[in-house]
Structures are given as structure tokens and as C-alpha cells.
Amino acid sequence: MTRPTRPQSAPAEAATSATPVLELRGIRKSFGSNVVLDGIDLAVQAGEVVVLVGPSGCGKSTLLRCAIGLEQIDGGEVLLDGSVVSGAQRDQQARTRMGMVFQSYDLFPNMTVLDNVTLAPTLVRNADKAQAEERARALLARVGLAEKADAWPNTLSGGQQQRVAICRALAMDPEVLLLDEVTAALDPEMVHEVLQVVLELADEGLTMLIVTHEMSFARAIADRVVMLDGGVVVEEGGPDFFEHPQTERARAFLRTFEFHRVGR
Amino acid sequence: MGAEFLFQGATIQRLLAGLGVTLRISLISVALSVPLGVVMGVLFTRKNRVLRAVLRVYLDFIRVMPQLVLLFLVFFGSASSLGLNFSGEVASIIVFTAWGAAELGDLVRAALEAIPQSQYDGAFALGLTSKQTFARVILPQALRSLLPPSVNLVTRIIKTTSLCMLIGVVEVVRVGQQIIDFNRFDYPMGALWTYATLALLYFVICWPLSLLSRWLEKRSSR
Ligand SMILES: Nc1ncnc2c1ncn2[C@@H]1O[C@H](COP(=O)(O)OP(=O)(O)OP(=O)(O)O)[C@@H](O)[C@H]1O
Ligand SMILES: [Mg+2]
């Protein structure tokens, strides 16, 4: 899996000056006495792909869920284009500016693929039905599923369902797309087709925050890598994170994958 | 043959009129049960513990009581203790509505709880309001799994309304008995033929419902 250098790849100096599309400031989240996120700062610039890694249970999913508002945060704030959207003022409008694709196949089984993709634009944005369908068909064609528009979700493979789920999120034109281990529940032979789609989206300049356990994919797609552990960011770096991790914890984390490889 | 009496006078018409009473009680009860049951089922899935406990007690009470006891309770009990004078038919509708709503409420609860959290999360992430999520995503899925057992519930209600004759309602089984009594001396085999006719009537009504339920079941597991 390779990825050409993107023309719009955010240069380091630009990244520090521009307002990030998505910014998380001091996010804190506990479940009962279990402190999962203990002050997370993270910014995603326009066109940037940030990959979030870390051991299982370190709170990667929780962080994404906090960002989009699926979990109430206990502290800190979420900003979109520089304005705070977390807290009481989080409204439907702010929610629609972010998209999220989950690990579980969560297509709506009571409607066709096409209706899955057009539901939110027509319902939330009051988009014209015909236009929404045209757009949906274009999106489906782009992920190689043009002929599946009228199929029911449960007749599709897991990989196809995840590609539809990506289309469904894209149909709302999110400013930033959050992906939470979108291939973790897939059979190995379907992982590639889904990741290839994500890679293409990155090349087209879509801003994304990605959680993945697929290290070769992470290496290929990441503009920046953020490693989470113990409720805090332990390391943040470019794609060379994988070759030259700075901290012992990151090295230990990456070794767990080497071990898996050797053991296979 | 000994079954000629069935075709004499107004016997058939009387049986059909009795069947009409049976169906009237059943259908009115079902029609009232549906909205009540849906509301109850939705309330059941609320986090409120007190509300859930109250509903649970109500459901269990209705379930452990024989329907006949409920009928006596409403018909005789309400008259003697509350001074209310329900007709047998009204009392029957009250009991079968209370029963239907409780059972349906439980079915709605189960159907709603069977829908995974990821469906709510997916809709939320797309920006749907909770009302839109319920109407477009949750309810249609719940209905699918709900319909087959609901149709079975209707069948059970229709069959059980035969108990209403014990509080003086002249429904189809009671009409059958009247016919048997009337023809007792002229037609010794009358009871057999009459009950066979009753069986046929129930079969004609309930069998299609049973088929419908099975068809819905097959369709919902698609
Ligand atoms: N709804 C919840 N209620 C209670 N605890 C939760 C809840 N969701 C997550 N947790 C806890 O929060 C911690 C972080 O979970 P999370 O799913 O965010 O981890 P993760 O980094 O995504 O792990 P994985 O790589 O396995 O997906 C875990 O200890 C988990 O048990
Ligand atoms: Mg996770």
C-alpha cells in the first residue's frame, strides 16, 4: 500500500499558523472511577490525516466518540474551525459537520443502500431527493459499488457494507471524517478494499482522524501519528514514528506488532 | 344425518352474529391495545427505574391472572365495589385491552431492546435528531420483528374471548350452546355438529392469521 505525496500535504509551518479544522483541548473523560482520557490535546489541520494509535483500551474510540458528541465530556472542549461546539451548545448543525464510521457495520438494515446514503442529506439538510440520489450514486460508483445501489445491506459483504458506510458519511460533506477501526471486524481479504478507499480519500484532501490497528496502512496514510496511552498523548510525530519512536512506551507498543508478525 | 338443524331457521345467521360479537370484542381490544402497548413498550425502555418497576408489576399481574378471573374481577368486582355497571361486552373489552396492551408492551420492549446501540450511534453521527432516529431507523426495525408475535397475540385474544360467555356475553360459543340446548331432544348428535361448526369457524378466522404470522416471520428474517 503506497501513497504518493499529496500536493496539499500541510507543511509544518502552515500547520502551526492556520486554524485547525478539528481541535480537541484538554479532553477529560471518566467512566465511573476509570479515568480514560486525562487531558488530551489534539489538532487536525485542513487536509491532514492524523492517525491515532495505542494499546487496546487506551481510549481511542472514546476520544472519537467525545469529539463527535456521542459521549459527554467531563472537561475540556471540542472546537470546529476555531469555535467551541462541545457542551450545551452542541446542536444538530455542529454534529453534521463531522462524519464518523464505526467498527461495527451499522448500516440501517431497514432501507436499501441508496436510501442509507440519502437519508441524512434529505432529512437533516432538506436536500432535494433526486439530487441526493444522484450524489449518492456518484459516491457509490467511486467506491466501486454503483450496481449495489438498490441492494439491501445484509446482502453485501462486510467490506462492501463498510464502503457504503463511508459513502453515507461523505454524503453529508463532513469537514472532518472520524474513522474508528473500520476494518477491525472484517475478514482479512476485505480489509484492503476498504483501506484503499480511505487512502484515495486522503489523496483527495479529505481531513481525517483515523484509529487503526493496521500498522502498514497507518504508515502509508498518516501525515501525523498520535499515540495515546494511560489517558494522555505519549508521543506525537510524523510517519517516521513507526521507524523511530521516541519514547519507550511507543517502542514497547510497536514491538507488540512485531511479536504478532513473528508469531504468525 | 342429524345435522339438518344447522340449516333450519336462523341457526347459521345466529352463529354468524355470535361470531360478530367475538370479532367485535377482539378487534376493539386489539385496536385499543396497539397504541397503549406501543406507549408502554417505549416507556419500558426508559431509564426511569420507578416507571419500569410499575410497568413490570402491571405486566406480571396481568400475566399470572387467569383471564377468567380478570373478567369476573372487572364484571362483578367493579359493580359491587365501585358501583360501576359495565355490560359484559364492555367488561370484556376492558380485560382484553389490559391484557393485549401488557403483552404487546412487552413485545415492543423486546423489539426495541434488540436493536443494537450502533444503530443509534450511526444515526447520531449522521446528525439525525432523536425523533428522526426513532421514526426512520428504530421503529421500522422494531416493527419488523414485532409483527409476527403481534399477529399471534391477536389469535390468542380471539380464542380467549370464548371465556366472555361466562359473564353473560352472547358470543359465538354461547350461541352454539343455545343452539344445542334448543335442539337437544330432536337432534341427539346436535352437540357434536354444533361444536364441529364452531371449530370450523375459529379455524377459518385464526388459520389465515397463523399463516400471516409465519409469512411475516420468514420475511423479517430476510
Ligand atoms: N460506555 C462505557 N462504559 C464504561 N466504560 C467504558 C465505556 N466505553 C469505554 N469504556 C472503557 O474505557 C476504556 C477505553 O475504551 P475504548 O473503547 O475507548 O478503548 P480503545 O482504545 O478504543 O480500545 P480498542 O483498541 O480495544 O478499541 C476501556 O477501559 C473501556 O472499558
Ligand atoms: Mg476502540
Side-chain angles (χ1 to χ4, degrees), chain A residues 31 34 36 54-62 71 103 181 213:
Chain A
F31 293 106
N34 180 10
V36 177
S56 183
C58 71
K60 304 180 296 295
S61 300
T62 304
E71 303 284 354
Q103 170 177 341
E181 296 195 47
H213 279 146

Side-chain angles (χ1 to χ4, degrees), chain A residues 101-114:
Chain A
V101 181
F102 303 83
Q103 170 177 341
S104 57
Y105 322 142
D106 62 332
L107 292 182
F108 306 131
N110 57 312
M111 50 187 100
T112 62
V113 164
L114 190 68

Side-chain angles (χ1 to χ4, degrees), chain A residues 33-221:
Chain A
S33 61
N34 180 10
V35 180
V36 177
L37 303 175
D38 197 9
I40 304 280
D41 295 307
L42 180 67
V44 186
Q45 304 294 333
E48 195 183 24
V49 176
V50 175
V51 170
L52 200 56
V53 298
S56 183
C58 71
K60 304 180 296 295
S61 300
T62 304
L63 187 63
L64 294 197
R65 291 172 64 85
C66 287
I68 202 166
L70 274 166
E71 303 284 354
Q72 294 290 324
I73 50 178
D74 301 329
E77 48 196 16
V78 179
L79 294 89
L80 266 181
D81 286 325
S83 42
V84 178
V85 294
S86 53
Q89 67 270 54
R90 163 143 358 211
D91 54 8
Q92 194 184 16
Q93 212 47 49
R95 227 195 302 154
T96 62
R97 292 166 61 191
M98 288 186 226
M100 183 161 175
V101 181
F102 303 83
Q103 170 177 341
S104 57
Y105 322 142
D106 62 332
L107 292 182
F108 306 131
N110 57 312
M111 50 187 100
T112 62
V113 164
L114 190 68
D115 289 343
N116 262 278
V117 181
T118 57
L119 181 73
T122 50
L123 216 54
V124 180
R125 292 262 166 82
N126 294 317
D128 174 65
K129 180 92 177 141
Q131 276 174 4
E133 285 191 3
E134 194 179 327
R135 176 83 205 290
R137 286 186 194 278
L139 284 168
L140 289 169
R142 192 165 122 192
V143 301
L145 292 173
E147 79 287 5
K148 296 289 185 189
D150 299 311
W152 292 89
N154 63 358
T155 63
L156 303 186
S157 74
Q160 292 171 329
Q161 289 186 44
Q162 270 313 36
R163 283 184 278 158
V164 174
I166 291 171
C167 290
R168 191 176 64 172
L170 290 178
M172 290 296 279
D173 296 309
E175 291 167 40
V176 54
L177 185 62
L178 314 177
L179 302 180
D180 189 6
E181 296 195 47
V182 290
T183 60
L186 294 180
D187 290 337
E189 68 269 23
M190 293 168 188
V191 169
H192 191 266
E193 66 188 41
V194 173
L195 296 187
Q196 196 58 46
V197 165
V198 179
L199 214 50
E200 284 162 23
L201 293 174
D203 288 337
E204 287 164 27
L206 186 68
T207 310
M208 289 189 278
L209 177 57
I210 301 177
V211 172
T212 183
H213 279 146
E214 300 283 336
M215 285 303 144
S216 61
F217 167 69
R219 198 176 313 197
I221 201 168

